[in-house]
Structure formats: structure tokens, C-alpha cells
Amino acid sequence: MSRNLENRKWSNSIGFILACVGSAVGLGNIWKFPYITYENGGGAFVFVYLIAIAFVGLPIIIAEMMIGRMGSENVYSTFKDLSKNKFIWKLVGVMCLFSAFTLLSYYSVVAGWTLEYFYKSISGAFSSITIENSNSVFGEFVKDGKWQVFYHSIFMLITAFIVYKGTKGIETAVKVLMPLLGLFVLIIASVSISKYGIGHSLDFLFTFDLSKLTGHAVLEAVGHAFFTLSVGFGSMLIYGSYLSKETSLMKAGVWIVGLDTLIAVMACLMMYPIIFGTQMELSKSSSMLFTTLSVQFNSLPGGSVIGAMFYALVAFAALSSTISLLEPVVSFVEEIFNISRSRATIFSALVIWIAGNFSALSNGSVQFFTDLKVLDRLDFLVSNWTLPLGGLGIALFSGWVLDRSEKVKQFLDFEQKLFGSWDFLVKYISPVLILVVIGNLIFGSN
Ligand code: TRP
């Protein structure tokens, strides 16, 4: 069904861009990027990542926003109404919604952990934490079912409250969260750089020794380019569907990609000086953000305040991402079942909350879910399968299904000279690269 767009539009391009940056900047930037860059040896990996961002991430994020603006409907109806072979494309829409639903269910659990770590840091409970007991502190916490469910519930509640308020709610939230996030990143990076110096970190990040590059690193860089930009989930599509004609998609894309990359690099500059300075090995697991770092902040002046600031920052980044994961699901439920936004929000959030509890209880509190490894398995499924497939669907849809003349109309006059290159990238280059990533998953050894 069609919707009354007028009260849904972003109030201006800045609100829209901030919402997209909020979606893109998340655990992927602050936890995953510093960690995989460290694992893959630095400079050469960063170089490939930047190429992947520019030649795959940027064109596809532009494509996803464009599809959204052309459809001006929920994700599912957009794919259905803009295509001829409806069966296949409806499936792509369903897959995007499935990814958003599933990612949100466990992202909210991990995001909840930041609330506990914020509380522990600010209350001074971490001032005596050591590298020896940080793992057991973390292990005991994630094993405690009631706290897992508690924090997951708080995160879902805040997310649902903002989404229930619609685009206005999202805009207000990101206009507060994003500047704070930037400020906190700057403060933490300056404290850690002034204590330990920046030279070693910059060398590590920007010395391009291509001989160090492995095939695995290249594939990881391409995969991460998708994840960090939130493409393939319908989030950018739904945000694009509230966008007015006058906003330049290419400019918006460059801003989103640029700011997302900046935050990822800054996240490295917050952590690497401490890692190199204290010569502590980075724990090689997803818990690094909570184990190694909670100890390392103690080595900084004002450690508990800086630590608390850090976990607040991760919570802000996660919140602006969870909002953008709930929005595609809510708008789908609202439009397909023709119910009010408040009902759609309550219903969607409730179902996702229930699903998320399985992940919340899968870290040792309930044996059945722990054995099933719910959180890890869902993350594997979404990050490695439905995300690249969704990205592939979006590239092919914008490259081959949509009419060229209709697409041209989505770009402003000054963008026309770049249209041909963009079209070429989404038609050929991006799909081929995604197929290589998926092929490696099926046939590769790692
Ligand atoms: N980009 C987010 C991050 O870096 C994670 C993410 C992937 C995401 N796809 C998404 C967030 C879709 C919101 C919507 O952490």
C-alpha cells in the first residue's frame, strides 16, 4: 500500500546523512576494523580495504539509497513493485528483512554488554582489573542469564522508543549521538596518543608492504566493506525511501563512506597506541573490546572516566545502528498489515526481543542454547551469507533490472558525468567481486 510520505520525510539532507552515518558506524568500526587490521598486519590491508570501500561499497550504498527513493515504500514492496520477475526480487526483499531482523536480535545483546561495562568503569569497579582476571570477569558476566536478558531488554526498549517516533525520532537521536561520538573519539585518541605517542601506530596503519598481503586478507577486506557500510539489509533502502528528490545521492554516499572510514581509522588511533605502548597482546577473540581494553584503560590518566567514555561511545554507535535495523522491519509490518506505527513497532520489537533472548542465553547460561551456539551461528549466517547475497541482489537489481532512463532521473545535473562509471561498477565490478567472496566461502579452504 502507498503511504503518506509527507510526514515521513527527513527534514533536510544533514538529518538523512547523519542517520546513515549512524547506521554505518557501529561495532564494525570500533571493534572489528581495528581487530582485523591488526590481525592482517596493517598497511597493506588498509590499502585494499580503502579500494574495496571506494569501488564496491560506495557504488552499492548509492544504489541501495537510490532503489529506496525510487520505490518510496517498504523494502519488500519496493523490490516487488519495481521489478518484472517478481518472485526472485521479492525473495531479495525478504532476505534483506531477514538479515535486519536477525542481526538486530543479537546485535542488541552485544550492545547491552557496553552498558554493563560503562557502569562498571564509571563506578570504579574496574580500577583493579588485571589481564589475568579480565577474561573470567567477562565470562562470568555473559554467563549470567538475568543480566544478559536485562541489558538486551533495555537496548531493545530504547531502540523501539526512538523508532516509534518515526523519522523525527531518528533524526533527533542521531543529531545528539553522532556529535557526542565524534567528541569522545577525539578525547580518547588524544589521551592515548599523548601518553604513548602516535608514530608506531601510523607506521603500522599506513606502511603499504604489499608483499604481506594474503588472499584471505583481500576477501576479508571486501566482506568488511559491506558490513561496515550496512549495505544489503534494507536499512539504507528504507532511509532512502524518506529522501526528497533534491538530495544528491553521490554526495551523500561520499559523506557516509568518508565519515565511516574516518571513525574506523580513529578507532585504531584510540587503541593501537595503548596496545603498542603496553606491549600487551590483543586477545584474539570477539571479547577483546571487553577484556583487553578494560584493563588497558587503567594505564591511562583518568582511566575509569576514559573507560566509561569509551563504553558510552560504543553504546551510542550501536544504538544508531540498531535503530536502522528496526526501521525496515517496522515499516514492512506497518505497510503490509496496514496497522499503526505504534502497533507495528511494539509487535516487531517484541518478536525481535524474544528471538534475541536465545542469543542472550547462549553464552553459558542455558546449556541448550549454549550448545547450539546461537549467537555465533547467527553471526556467521548473516555476515557471511545473507549480507553478501543481499549486496549482490542490490547491485544486480540496480545494474540490470531498473530502467536506465529511470535511474538517470535519480541523479542531479552535476552527477550526470559520473553516472556511466557508477552504472558500470554496479553492473560488472561489484557483482563479480561479491561472487568471488561467496565462491571462496563455498569452495575455499579458509
Ligand atoms: N555497519 C554496522 C557496523 O559497522 C553493522 C551493520 C551491518 C548494520 N549491517 C547493518 C547496522 C545494517 C545497521 C544496519 O557495526
Side-chain angles (χ1 to χ4, degrees):
M1 63 161 278
S2 62
R3 64 183 179 205
N4 176 4
L5 244 184
E6 280 325 300
N7 56 18
R8 287 279 187 86
K9 287 245 159 95
W10 302 106
S11 49
N12 52 35
S13 311
I14 307 223
F16 164 71
I17 290 175
L18 280 181
C20 296
V21 172
S23 172
V25 172
L27 297 171
N29 303 61
I30 297 169
W31 160 64
K32 202 163 178 195
F33 182 74
Y35 167 64
I36 57 179
T37 302
Y38 180 79
E39 258 192 349
N40 286 302
F45 178 81
V46 174
F47 179 71
V48 178
Y49 170 77
L50 292 177
I51 294 191
I53 284 282
F55 291 100
V56 192
L58 181 60
I60 299 195
I61 203 171
I62 293 174
E64 190 170 329
M65 298 185 296
M66 180 195 77
I67 297 173
R69 190 161 70 178
M70 286 170 88
S72 296
E73 285 180 293
N74 67 80
V75 177
Y76 174 83
S77 310
T78 294
F79 280 110
K80 179 172 105 227
D81 293 344
L82 293 178
S83 64
K84 292 199 193 67
N85 185 348
K86 303 203 181 300
F87 179 70
I88 292 277
W89 295 109
K90 278 197 288 195
L91 270 185
V92 173
V94 169
M95 205 174 54
C96 288
L97 289 167
F98 170 83
S99 302
F101 177 101
T102 311
L103 177 61
L104 177 54
S105 74
Y106 67 82
Y107 204 89
S108 157
V109 173
V110 178
W113 298 346
T114 62
L115 301 179
E116 159 87 356
Y117 271 65
F118 169 78
Y119 172 71
K120 285 264 176 71
S121 306
I122 199 87
S123 65
F126 278 162
S127 53
S128 55
I129 196 166
T130 60
I131 202 70
E132 286 76 33
N133 70 10
S134 67
N135 276 320
S136 60
V137 167
F138 178 74
E140 289 303 316
F141 167 61
V142 295
K143 240 196 254 163
D144 195 338
K146 63 178 182 305
W147 287 111
Q148 293 300 302
V149 171
F150 174 75
Y151 284 120
H152 163 57
S153 312
I154 298 225
F155 224 89
M156 280 305 298
L157 261 179
I158 304 176
T159 306
F161 179 72
I162 296 170
V163 168
Y164 151 74
K165 297 265 180 198
T167 34
K168 295 283 166 295
I170 301 177
E171 272 188 296
T172 314
V174 291
K175 280 182 180 161
V176 177
L177 294 176
M178 290 298 108
L180 269 180
L181 182 136
L183 180 71
F184 283 13
V185 168
L186 282 179
I187 296 178
I188 300 173
S190 344
V191 175
S192 103
I193 290 170
S194 59
K195 166 106 195 219
Y196 292 111
I198 195 175
H200 193 3
S201 308
L202 287 182
D203 282 350
F204 184 76
L205 276 174
F206 297 113
T207 309
F208 302 135
D209 179 359
L210 282 177
S211 64
K212 271 198 199 153
L213 205 62
T214 61
H216 173 75
V218 175
L219 293 172
E220 192 154 17
V222 177
H224 187 62
F226 281 108
F227 186 82
T228 190
L229 293 178
S230 309
V231 292
F233 289 73
S235 297
M236 295 298 172
L237 191 155
I238 205 70
Y239 279 5
S241 77
Y242 307 135
L243 188 62
S244 65
K245 282 261 172 295
E246 298 80 53
T247 302
S248 153
L249 293 176
M250 290 190 185
K251 262 196 194 164
V254 169
W255 271 108
I256 300 162
V257 169
L259 287 172
D260 184 76
T261 309
L262 181 70
I263 299 281
V265 171
M266 288 301 293
C268 295
L269 293 180
M270 296 192 294
M271 298 174 198
Y272 288 172
I274 326 182
I275 292 167
F276 295 137
T278 53
Q279 299 191 330
M280 245 182 232
E281 264 294 301
L282 246 171
S283 128
K284 286 226 183 308
S285 75
S286 54
S287 55
M288 157 214 125
L289 201 60
F290 301 99
T291 54
T292 321
L293 281 173
S294 63
V295 180
Q296 291 178 328
F297 285 128
N298 284 329
S299 76
L300 294 176
S304 57
V305 176
I306 295 289
M309 219 181 226
F310 176 79
Y311 292 112
L313 156 114
V314 186
F316 295 161
L319 180 60
S320 54
S321 295
T322 53
I323 296 170
S324 78
L325 286 165
L326 186 55
E327 180 62 33
V329 180
V330 167
S331 59
F332 168 75
V333 171
E334 189 181 357
E335 291 173 15
I336 293 291
F337 300 113
N338 199 8
I339 57 176
S340 69
R341 184 162 188 95
S342 46
R343 284 193 174 178
T345 311
I346 295 171
F347 173 76
S348 315
L350 198 64
V351 177
I352 295 171
W353 174 77
I354 294 173
N357 285 323
F358 303 142
S359 293
L361 297 174
S362 74
N363 297 301
S365 41
V366 172
Q367 200 56 39
F368 178 67
F369 297 128
T370 309
D371 289 342
L372 279 178
K373 296 202 184 116
V374 181
L375 200 159
D376 295 342
R377 290 239 170 92
L378 289 179
D379 184 40
F380 181 80
L381 174 71
V382 170
S383 309
N384 294 307
W385 287 102
T386 63
L387 162 66
L389 283 173
L392 181 66
I394 284 163
L396 294 176
F397 193 75
S398 59
W400 298 94
V401 175
L402 295 175
D403 243 15
R404 190 181 170 93
S405 58
E406 290 300 313
K407 287 189 281 185
V408 168
K409 284 192 209 144
Q410 291 293 324
F411 293 95
L412 307 178
D413 289 344
F414 76 93
E415 295 172 309
Q416 296 298 337
K417 55 183 181 307
L418 290 170
F419 177 83
S421 324
W422 169 79
D423 205 41
F424 179 78
L425 286 171
V426 288
K427 259 193 170 130
Y428 302 102
I429 306 294
S430 314
V432 168
L433 279 172
I434 301 174
L435 284 173
V436 172
V437 171
I438 297 176
N440 177 67
L441 204 64
I442 302 176
F443 305 111
S445 54
N446 48 35

